[in-house]
Amino acid sequence: AQKITQTQPGMFVQEKEAVTLDCTYDTSDPSYGLFWYKQPSSGEMIFLIYQGSYDQQNATEGRYSLNFQKARKSANLVISASQLGDSAMYFCAMRELIIQGAQKLVFGQGTRLTINP
Amino acid sequence: KAGVTQTPRYLIKTRGQQVTLSCSPISGHRSVSWYQQTPGQGLQFLFEYFSETQRNKGNFPGRFSGRQFSNSRSEMNVSTLELGDSALYLCASRKQGLSTDTQYFGPGTRLTVL
């Protein structure tokens, strides 16, 4: 079974600093996808970034980048120049493929990020 | 393009009642998945629908059911509510049912069972 581990329950960072949120995963499937989602206090899960297991380069989306180390089975999210609006829960998730194109996401426990002014 | 919408946003029910939650996917998206989020168990997959057929189901009792309509809108139903069913229920949609698609989530329905 696939498993996602996020070891940082909470992180506190000063505004404008860079922050790295850790994520390690375990799977026996050679083809997999890793996602990061942001969940503000409102509850909505906001998609941030995606990394496929066969992607040659680390994914980037604006201030978000993914430090993908396949051999170490880690997919850490890096947020550059943090802003107050980045304060939220962050979830790492792995796509588990089922037959006939069905899929489900397996989530980690999340990291609560707080940006201090 | 409008995102995933869920109604209602908040719901209060008592034990033993039943509840129906609704989800409208992003236009053009044909796959809808449901997840339950609780402080103790985190985010757990409930089921996925595609073309009005349930393709995958998580490890939840039969009290949890769902369906999808021809316009891809989906509903989930929980019968005989228990206190432990209090949770944020999130719906997610993706396009065309391809295995590589990204799931986009709605704002959730927060269910409180008293």
Side-chain angles (χ1 to χ4, degrees), chain A residues 18-19 39 44 47 49 73:
Chain A
V19 58
Q39 188 177 42
E44 181 174 359
F47 166 70
I49 197 166
K73 294 190 174 181

Side-chain angles (χ1 to χ4, degrees), chain A residues 109, chain B residues 36-44 60 84-89:
Chain A
Q109 289 301 308
Chain B
Q36 181 197 64
Q37 185 177 23
T38 60
Q41 298 299 316
L43 281 146
Q44 293 185 290
F60 279 84
D85 297 334
S86 294
L88 179 67
Y89 290 88

Side-chain angles (χ1 to χ4, degrees), chain A residues 6-61:
Chain A
Q6 294 180 254
T7 57
Q8 306 153 310
M11 284 194 69
F12 295 85
V13 174
Q14 287 299 119
E15 190 179 7
K16 298 180 185 175
E17 289 184 351
V19 58
T20 298
L21 305 181
D22 295 341
C23 172
T24 57
Y25 60 90
D26 189 23
T27 180
S28 57
D29 189 347
S31 177
Y32 53 87
L34 294 156
F35 302 80
W36 277 92
Y37 288 89
K38 171 184 178 182
Q39 188 177 42
S41 57
S42 60
E44 181 174 359
M45 297 282 282
I46 302 168
F47 166 70
L48 296 177
I49 197 166
Y50 166 80
Q51 181 84 43
S53 59
Y54 295 121
D55 292 344
Q56 295 296 312
Q57 296 190 333
N58 288 344
T60 60
E61 288 285 351

Side-chain angles (χ1 to χ4, degrees), chain B residues 32-75:
Chain B
V32 174
S33 296
W34 289 88
Y35 293 83
Q36 181 197 64
Q37 185 177 23
T38 60
Q41 298 299 316
L43 281 146
Q44 293 185 290
F45 171 77
L46 278 158
F47 26 65
E48 180 190 15
Y49 286 87
F50 176 73
S51 291
E52 303 178 62
T53 301
Q54 186 182 90
R55 293 204 292 192
N56 191 18
K57 185 171 167 45
N59 189 23
F60 279 84
R63 301 184 297 107
F64 291 82
S65 62
R67 60 178 176 169
Q68 187 180 35
F69 301 95
S70 58
N71 62 358
S72 296
R73 189 177 70 86
S74 177
E75 290 181 347

Side-chain angles (χ1 to χ4, degrees), chain B residues 4-112:
Chain B
V4 178
T5 58
Q6 292 186 244
T7 56
R9 293 292 311 278
Y10 302 91
L11 209 47
I12 299 175
K13 292 285 187 179
T14 56
R15 278 183 302 173
Q17 288 186 311
Q18 75 166 22
V19 66
T20 299
L21 312 181
S22 180
C23 170
S24 292
I26 293 171
S27 178
H29 285 197
R30 295 170 61 192
S31 171
V32 174
S33 296
W34 289 88
Y35 293 83
Q36 181 197 64
Q37 185 177 23
T38 60
Q41 298 299 316
L43 281 146
Q44 293 185 290
F45 171 77
L46 278 158
F47 26 65
E48 180 190 15
Y49 286 87
F50 176 73
S51 291
E52 303 178 62
T53 301
Q54 186 182 90
R55 293 204 292 192
N56 191 18
K57 185 171 167 45
N59 189 23
F60 279 84
R63 301 184 297 107
F64 291 82
S65 62
R67 60 178 176 169
Q68 187 180 35
F69 301 95
S70 58
N71 62 358
S72 296
R73 189 177 70 86
S74 177
E75 290 181 347
M76 69 162 281
N77 184 277
V78 188
S79 62
T80 319
L81 284 166
E82 300 177 358
L83 295 178
D85 297 334
S86 294
L88 179 67
Y89 290 88
L90 291 160
C91 163
S93 76
R94 62 188 175 99
K95 199 165 118 176
Q96 297 297 332
L98 295 176
S99 61
T100 54
D101 292 334
T102 294
Q103 293 192 27
Y104 295 93
F105 285 80
T109 294
R110 193 168 294 278
L111 171 65
T112 302

